[in-house]
Amino acid sequence: MIKAGSRVKFVSDTGVGIVRSIKGNMAYVEVEDGFEIPALISDIVEVEIEAENAAIVRIGPSDPKPSGSHAGTGADGTQKKQKATVRGLNNYGRVSLADDYEDDEPIDLGKLRKSYTKTAEEQVDRTPAPVEKAPWEVTDYLVKMLFVPVPDSGKPAENADLEAWLVNDSSYTLFYNIARREQRGDFVRTIDSGTLAADSKQKIKLYRRAELAEISTLHISLLPYKPTAFVPRAVEAFDLELHPLKFVRASSFTDNDYFDAPALEFTLASSDELADTAAPVIPTPSPKANPVPHKRSTKDEEVVDLHADAILDSTENLTPGEILQAQLARFTVALEGAVKSGSSVPLKRMVFIHGVGKGKLRYEIEKLLKRNYPKLRYQDASFAEYGYGAVMVFLK
């Protein structure tokens, strides 16, 4: 490393010299005639001590009293030796430490200490480290189902075959069961089940385009847990209604965080802290949130709204189970009254608006119809008139 006192030679010129001072990228080199020449540090190289000693050996010891040199007498009467004409060597062919390695600029230790302290402070990252939560304190929970076009199909999403994926975007491990609800009876048929690790996804099934028209309802069961201590979450068991029209609309397939291709996305479950940021379930919002021009009741048809705020004065302090029981009671009273009226009332059908959600209310309504009214036919009400959350029951 070149520093003050280093013996150097020039890269692009002959001659050697001693560095007397360094300022920035410039070195001031004293050559043999006593002049200081400024040079870029990149244009000089340090002479190794072995090369220097070899040069001294080649010169050899000089005459103890070489010609051209003499001793002089100073004002105080002491003898003073003259410097040798060859720079860097005294009269005996040896390097003079006093002449050649003296630093012209004394080191300011105080300034050096301040500079070092400032540099050290600049290198210290004083940003406070984030407080890490213990495993049992992390309660993020988000589960989704996505229908993704088959890769490289070359078809638009609304025409391509679709892969159903279950996404566990949470810190919980997930036991899951995905089943298809049978058209008759209270039975379901398992499509796929297993364990899904935290922050992972699993392909459930490949649906050919012809199969999509037959999908009606999926029954989904979710049990989140952690292998260590954790905050427990409720076990989920619900029906997810899949209307065929969603699979043929290009607007239903949107960008997502899990696949490069646009997908039809359903949020199955989410924790409270993610409720505001989690993507909503793709099915059309309930009529209360996005009004649909419902038909009024006529002499042939009666419309009954089963939304909680339509049948209850307040839902404050009520659990989801209590609200569900109130909705089913309203359904039973309305339908039972129409059935008992019989031929005295010219009513042919009833439309019950249950809304779109996880499908629990729809599922319970179908159970009541199959168990208590097996002779009554029912089907989805008109999407255009009632949205996607209504069932029509035929009385005659």
Side-chain angles (χ1 to χ4, degrees), residues 7 32-33 59 62 83-91 93-94 99-100:
R7 185 178 297 278
E32 59 186 22
D33 55 4
I59 295 173
S62 60
K83 290 184 179 180
T85 56
V86 180
R87 188 198 55 76
L89 301 177
N90 63 9
N91 289 341
R94 298 175 182 174
D99 289 345
D100 294 336

PDB file of all heavy atoms in Angstrom, residues 7 32-33 59 62 83-91 93-94 99-100:
ATOM      1  N   ARG A   7       8.862   4.018  -1.131  1.00  0.00           N
ATOM      2  CA  ARG A   7       9.729   4.181  -2.291  1.00  0.00           C
ATOM      3  C   ARG A   7       8.985   3.637  -3.492  1.00  0.00           C
ATOM      4  O   ARG A   7       8.505   2.507  -3.471  1.00  0.00           O
ATOM      5  CB  ARG A   7      11.048   3.435  -2.091  1.00  0.00           C
ATOM      6  CG  ARG A   7      12.084   3.645  -3.202  1.00  0.00           C
ATOM      7  CD  ARG A   7      13.366   2.904  -2.892  1.00  0.00           C
ATOM      8  NE  ARG A   7      13.990   3.396  -1.692  1.00  0.00           N
ATOM      9  CZ  ARG A   7      14.756   4.477  -1.633  1.00  0.00           C
ATOM     10  NH1 ARG A   7      14.982   5.183  -2.728  1.00  0.00           N
ATOM     11  NH2 ARG A   7      15.296   4.874  -0.507  1.00  0.00           N
ATOM     12  N   GLU A  32      15.296  12.146  -7.529  1.00  0.00           N
ATOM     13  CA  GLU A  32      16.677  12.222  -7.069  1.00  0.00           C
ATOM     14  C   GLU A  32      17.301  13.610  -7.169  1.00  0.00           C
ATOM     15  O   GLU A  32      18.266  13.904  -6.490  1.00  0.00           O
ATOM     16  CB  GLU A  32      17.537  11.241  -7.863  1.00  0.00           C
ATOM     17  CG  GLU A  32      17.541  11.470  -9.363  1.00  0.00           C
ATOM     18  CD  GLU A  32      18.286  10.372 -10.091  1.00  0.00           C
ATOM     19  OE1 GLU A  32      18.419   9.291  -9.509  1.00  0.00           O
ATOM     20  OE2 GLU A  32      18.714  10.602 -11.214  1.00  0.00           O
ATOM     21  N   ASP A  33      16.706  14.469  -7.999  1.00  0.00           N
ATOM     22  CA  ASP A  33      17.279  15.812  -8.080  1.00  0.00           C
ATOM     23  C   ASP A  33      16.672  16.748  -7.050  1.00  0.00           C
ATOM     24  O   ASP A  33      16.920  17.972  -7.086  1.00  0.00           O
ATOM     25  CB  ASP A  33      17.087  16.385  -9.490  1.00  0.00           C
ATOM     26  CG  ASP A  33      15.644  16.375  -9.924  1.00  0.00           C
ATOM     27  OD1 ASP A  33      14.773  15.986  -9.104  1.00  0.00           O
ATOM     28  OD2 ASP A  33      15.379  16.745 -11.077  1.00  0.00           O
ATOM     29  N   ILE A  59      25.223  -1.469  -6.211  1.00  0.00           N
ATOM     30  CA  ILE A  59      26.019  -0.234  -6.068  1.00  0.00           C
ATOM     31  C   ILE A  59      27.278  -0.507  -5.255  1.00  0.00           C
ATOM     32  O   ILE A  59      28.373  -0.061  -5.579  1.00  0.00           O
ATOM     33  CB  ILE A  59      25.180   0.872  -5.401  1.00  0.00           C
ATOM     34  CG1 ILE A  59      24.023   1.254  -6.311  1.00  0.00           C
ATOM     35  CG2 ILE A  59      26.021   2.085  -5.052  1.00  0.00           C
ATOM     36  CD1 ILE A  59      23.043   2.217  -5.656  1.00  0.00           C
ATOM     37  N   SER A  62      30.343   2.585  -0.901  1.00  0.00           N
ATOM     38  CA  SER A  62      31.085   3.688  -1.527  1.00  0.00           C
ATOM     39  C   SER A  62      32.354   3.968  -0.734  1.00  0.00           C
ATOM     40  O   SER A  62      32.555   3.452   0.355  1.00  0.00           O
ATOM     41  CB  SER A  62      30.205   4.939  -1.582  1.00  0.00           C
ATOM     42  OG  SER A  62      29.826   5.311  -0.268  1.00  0.00           O
ATOM     43  N   LYS A  83      25.026  15.417   2.428  1.00  0.00           N
ATOM     44  CA  LYS A  83      24.196  14.356   1.888  1.00  0.00           C
ATOM     45  C   LYS A  83      24.829  13.810   0.632  1.00  0.00           C
ATOM     46  O   LYS A  83      25.422  14.539  -0.137  1.00  0.00           O
ATOM     47  CB  LYS A  83      22.784  14.873   1.561  1.00  0.00           C
ATOM     48  CG  LYS A  83      21.975  15.193   2.792  1.00  0.00           C
ATOM     49  CD  LYS A  83      20.558  15.607   2.401  1.00  0.00           C
ATOM     50  CE  LYS A  83      19.747  15.914   3.653  1.00  0.00           C
ATOM     51  NZ  LYS A  83      18.383  16.323   3.290  1.00  0.00           N
ATOM     52  N   ALA A  84      24.689  12.532   0.417  1.00  0.00           N
ATOM     53  CA  ALA A  84      25.231  11.911  -0.794  1.00  0.00           C
ATOM     54  C   ALA A  84      24.495  12.455  -2.004  1.00  0.00           C
ATOM     55  O   ALA A  84      23.334  12.856  -1.925  1.00  0.00           O
ATOM     56  CB  ALA A  84      25.081  10.399  -0.711  1.00  0.00           C
ATOM     57  N   THR A  85      25.202  12.450  -3.120  1.00  0.00           N
ATOM     58  CA  THR A  85      24.578  12.943  -4.354  1.00  0.00           C
ATOM     59  C   THR A  85      23.535  11.970  -4.864  1.00  0.00           C
ATOM     60  O   THR A  85      22.627  12.349  -5.579  1.00  0.00           O
ATOM     61  CB  THR A  85      25.644  13.158  -5.437  1.00  0.00           C
ATOM     62  OG1 THR A  85      26.341  11.932  -5.629  1.00  0.00           O
ATOM     63  CG2 THR A  85      26.631  14.224  -5.007  1.00  0.00           C
ATOM     64  N   VAL A  86      23.684  10.689  -4.503  1.00  0.00           N
ATOM     65  CA  VAL A  86      22.687   9.694  -4.891  1.00  0.00           C
ATOM     66  C   VAL A  86      21.572   9.716  -3.849  1.00  0.00           C
ATOM     67  O   VAL A  86      21.800   9.403  -2.701  1.00  0.00           O
ATOM     68  CB  VAL A  86      23.313   8.287  -4.981  1.00  0.00           C
ATOM     69  CG1 VAL A  86      22.233   7.276  -5.379  1.00  0.00           C
ATOM     70  CG2 VAL A  86      24.455   8.291  -5.976  1.00  0.00           C
ATOM     71  N   ARG A  87      20.342  10.133  -4.268  1.00  0.00           N
ATOM     72  CA  ARG A  87      19.234  10.293  -3.322  1.00  0.00           C
ATOM     73  C   ARG A  87      18.834   8.945  -2.757  1.00  0.00           C
ATOM     74  O   ARG A  87      18.755   7.948  -3.467  1.00  0.00           O
ATOM     75  CB  ARG A  87      18.012  10.895  -4.034  1.00  0.00           C
ATOM     76  CG  ARG A  87      16.892  11.263  -3.067  1.00  0.00           C
ATOM     77  CD  ARG A  87      15.606  11.415  -3.821  1.00  0.00           C
ATOM     78  NE  ARG A  87      15.319  10.222  -4.580  1.00  0.00           N
ATOM     79  CZ  ARG A  87      14.864   9.104  -4.040  1.00  0.00           C
ATOM     80  NH1 ARG A  87      14.662   9.024  -2.745  1.00  0.00           N
ATOM     81  NH2 ARG A  87      14.618   8.046  -4.790  1.00  0.00           N
ATOM     82  N   GLY A  88      18.642   8.979  -1.419  1.00  0.00           N
ATOM     83  CA  GLY A  88      18.194   7.761  -0.765  1.00  0.00           C
ATOM     84  C   GLY A  88      19.336   6.935  -0.217  1.00  0.00           C
ATOM     85  O   GLY A  88      19.095   5.984   0.499  1.00  0.00           O
ATOM     86  N   LEU A  89      20.580   7.223  -0.546  1.00  0.00           N
ATOM     87  CA  LEU A  89      21.714   6.467  -0.017  1.00  0.00           C
ATOM     88  C   LEU A  89      22.638   7.420   0.716  1.00  0.00           C
ATOM     89  O   LEU A  89      22.885   8.539   0.256  1.00  0.00           O
ATOM     90  CB  LEU A  89      22.478   5.787  -1.154  1.00  0.00           C
ATOM     91  CG  LEU A  89      21.674   4.800  -2.028  1.00  0.00           C
ATOM     92  CD1 LEU A  89      22.569   4.292  -3.144  1.00  0.00           C
ATOM     93  CD2 LEU A  89      21.156   3.660  -1.189  1.00  0.00           C
ATOM     94  N   ASN A  90      23.170   6.993   1.849  1.00  0.00           N
ATOM     95  CA  ASN A  90      24.202   7.816   2.493  1.00  0.00           C
ATOM     96  C   ASN A  90      25.560   7.414   1.919  1.00  0.00           C
ATOM     97  O   ASN A  90      25.660   6.650   0.964  1.00  0.00           O
ATOM     98  CB  ASN A  90      24.145   7.653   4.017  1.00  0.00           C
ATOM     99  CG  ASN A  90      24.447   6.215   4.456  1.00  0.00           C
ATOM    100  OD1 ASN A  90      24.853   5.403   3.633  1.00  0.00           O
ATOM    101  ND2 ASN A  90      24.230   5.936   5.732  1.00  0.00           N
ATOM    102  N   ASN A  91      26.622   7.953   2.473  1.00  0.00           N
ATOM    103  CA  ASN A  91      27.952   7.726   1.892  1.00  0.00           C
ATOM    104  C   ASN A  91      28.366   6.269   1.951  1.00  0.00           C
ATOM    105  O   ASN A  91      29.340   5.881   1.321  1.00  0.00           O
ATOM    106  CB  ASN A  91      28.989   8.572   2.637  1.00  0.00           C
ATOM    107  CG  ASN A  91      28.808  10.043   2.306  1.00  0.00           C
ATOM    108  OD1 ASN A  91      28.183  10.358   1.292  1.00  0.00           O
ATOM    109  ND2 ASN A  91      29.319  10.925   3.161  1.00  0.00           N
ATOM    110  N   GLY A  93      26.301   3.624   1.203  1.00  0.00           N
ATOM    111  CA  GLY A  93      25.431   2.787   0.393  1.00  0.00           C
ATOM    112  C   GLY A  93      24.238   2.218   1.126  1.00  0.00           C
ATOM    113  O   GLY A  93      23.668   1.229   0.699  1.00  0.00           O
ATOM    114  N   ARG A  94      23.855   2.798   2.258  1.00  0.00           N
ATOM    115  CA  ARG A  94      22.714   2.319   3.032  1.00  0.00           C
ATOM    116  C   ARG A  94      21.610   3.375   3.052  1.00  0.00           C
ATOM    117  O   ARG A  94      21.864   4.554   2.927  1.00  0.00           O
ATOM    118  CB  ARG A  94      23.133   1.982   4.469  1.00  0.00           C
ATOM    119  CG  ARG A  94      24.167   0.877   4.533  1.00  0.00           C
ATOM    120  CD  ARG A  94      24.637   0.665   5.937  1.00  0.00           C
ATOM    121  NE  ARG A  94      25.666  -0.373   5.989  1.00  0.00           N
ATOM    122  CZ  ARG A  94      26.347  -0.681   7.089  1.00  0.00           C
ATOM    123  NH1 ARG A  94      26.103  -0.022   8.218  1.00  0.00           N
ATOM    124  NH2 ARG A  94      27.249  -1.640   7.051  1.00  0.00           N
ATOM    125  N   ASP A  99      16.615  10.616   6.405  1.00  0.00           N
ATOM    126  CA  ASP A  99      16.402  11.391   5.184  1.00  0.00           C
ATOM    127  C   ASP A  99      15.185  10.923   4.389  1.00  0.00           C
ATOM    128  O   ASP A  99      14.432  11.733   3.860  1.00  0.00           O
ATOM    129  CB  ASP A  99      17.647  11.299   4.288  1.00  0.00           C
ATOM    130  CG  ASP A  99      18.804  12.086   4.890  1.00  0.00           C
ATOM    131  OD1 ASP A  99      18.529  12.901   5.803  1.00  0.00           O
ATOM    132  OD2 ASP A  99      19.935  11.852   4.463  1.00  0.00           O
ATOM    133  N   ASP A 100      15.023   9.592   4.318  1.00  0.00           N
ATOM    134  CA  ASP A 100      14.079   9.075   3.341  1.00  0.00           C
ATOM    135  C   ASP A 100      12.723   8.697   3.923  1.00  0.00           C
ATOM    136  O   ASP A 100      11.752   8.556   3.180  1.00  0.00           O
ATOM    137  CB  ASP A 100      14.671   7.850   2.651  1.00  0.00           C
ATOM    138  CG  ASP A 100      15.888   8.244   1.822  1.00  0.00           C
ATOM    139  OD1 ASP A 100      15.941   9.412   1.451  1.00  0.00           O
ATOM    140  OD2 ASP A 100      16.722   7.361   1.571  1.00  0.00           O
TER     141      ASP A 100
END
